[in-house]
Amino acid sequence: MEDLKNVSFSPLPDTTYVRPFRFNYTQNGQSKSWDLLEVHDSVAIIIFNVERKKLVFVKQFRPAVYFNSLEPEDRDVDVVDTDKYPAALGVTLELCAGIVDKDKPLVEIAREEVLEECGYHVKLSDLELVNSYRSGVGVQGSKQTLYYCEVNDDMKQSAGGGVDDEIIDLVEMSISQVEKMLFSPSAESIRSPPSCLYGLMWFLHTKAPKYRK
């Protein structure tokens, strides 16, 4: 995952994943415009192994996080110095998640992501709907739907790690480790999206108390 080389930037070609465009409108009589990105909606899943009392996360390299870790003067270069900027700067800790790019119910897509990324075979009835919210409200505003499921070791059918060219590692953390990550200020920022942090706060408030007994 952290064997990173040949980092460079180029103009965005046509793609099915991101469509940049300008939104023009009039608000309170004033003409305005805003640059936006059209992206897919997504699902995310809080996974808790009740047998070992561990939350299950995915760890992966995120180019956007890496890019925003570069100093401004090092973004306009032919090739990024990966000795100065190692891949670890872009490695994030996230909930299991995936985009909605299939004509299927959201809960079915969530079930597939749990199997593909984390290797657990869960039933649709195992997935509890938590909430839906908007992501990246400044430029995209896409909807993410959050689920919760409890698993055990018998439900593990594969190593997970994603499909095709995905490179995903699984990470397990105890409730106390998650609390330490969330509530212990550090000079180094948490490399997790707000949706993950919201999901963890929800878990600590609604589910964790019975597992602390």
Side-chain angles (χ1 to χ4, degrees):
M1 179 181 296
E2 296 188 17
D3 180 15
L4 186 68
K5 299 182 179 69
N6 304 321
V7 176
S8 63
F9 313 115
S10 60
L12 181 67
D14 290 337
T15 170
T16 59
Y17 296 103
V18 177
R19 184 174 75 90
F21 64 101
R22 177 158 290 178
F23 182 92
N24 305 297
Y25 61 109
T26 301
Q27 184 181 31
N28 290 353
Q30 182 179 359
S31 296
K32 297 182 179 182
S33 63
W34 198 269
D35 295 337
L36 302 178
L37 295 174
E38 182 181 12
V39 302
H40 289 287
D41 290 339
S42 61
V43 296
I45 309 95
I46 307 161
I47 303 173
F48 184 65
N49 188 312
V50 296
E51 195 169 336
R52 284 179 282 114
K53 296 185 179 180
K54 295 287 184 71
L55 284 148
V56 182
F57 298 90
V58 296
K59 186 172 74 169
Q60 54 192 318
F61 177 77
R62 293 294 197 181
V65 175
Y66 181 83
F67 175 79
N68 281 284
S69 298
L70 306 179
E71 295 295 333
E73 64 270 18
D74 290 325
R75 296 178 182 180
D76 188 21
V77 295
D78 292 332
V79 179
V80 174
D81 183 353
T82 53
D83 289 327
K84 181 178 180 180
Y85 297 104
L89 294 172
V91 175
T92 60
L93 186 73
E94 305 178 31
L95 300 176
C96 172
I99 62 173
V100 177
D101 59 351
K102 306 168 187 173
D103 185 19
K104 294 183 178 182
L106 295 179
V107 67
E108 174 66 24
I109 295 175
R111 187 195 69 82
E112 291 178 358
E113 292 296 336
V114 171
L115 180 61
E116 292 173 0
E117 291 194 350
C118 300
Y120 289 100
H121 177 74
V122 300
K123 301 175 184 177
L124 295 181
S125 58
D126 293 328
L127 289 154
E128 174 185 345
L129 176 63
V130 175
N131 216 329
S132 294
Y133 42 81
R134 296 292 171 174
S135 302
V137 294
V139 293
Q140 63 186 57
S142 61
K143 184 172 75 171
Q144 183 168 84
T145 301
L146 180 64
Y147 293 90
Y148 169 73
C149 72
E150 296 182 348
V151 300
N152 57 50
D153 290 342
D154 289 338
M155 298 163 72
K156 186 81 167 176
Q157 290 197 346
S158 72
V163 295
D164 299 327
D165 61 349
E166 289 183 309
I167 301 176
I168 295 174
D169 291 341
L170 299 186
V171 176
E172 294 186 342
M173 295 177 68
S174 66
I175 294 173
S176 61
Q177 287 175 315
V178 167
E179 289 176 322
K180 183 178 180 181
M181 177 182 73
L182 291 176
F183 304 122
S184 298
S186 170
E188 183 176 345
S189 62
I190 300 173
R191 291 197 186 93
S192 299
S195 57
C196 175
L197 305 183
Y198 163 68
L200 294 178
M201 294 295 288
W202 177 90
F203 171 83
L204 293 176
H205 180 71
T206 64
K207 303 294 182 179
K210 71 177 180 180
Y211 291 107
R212 290 197 184 96
K213 297 178 181 178

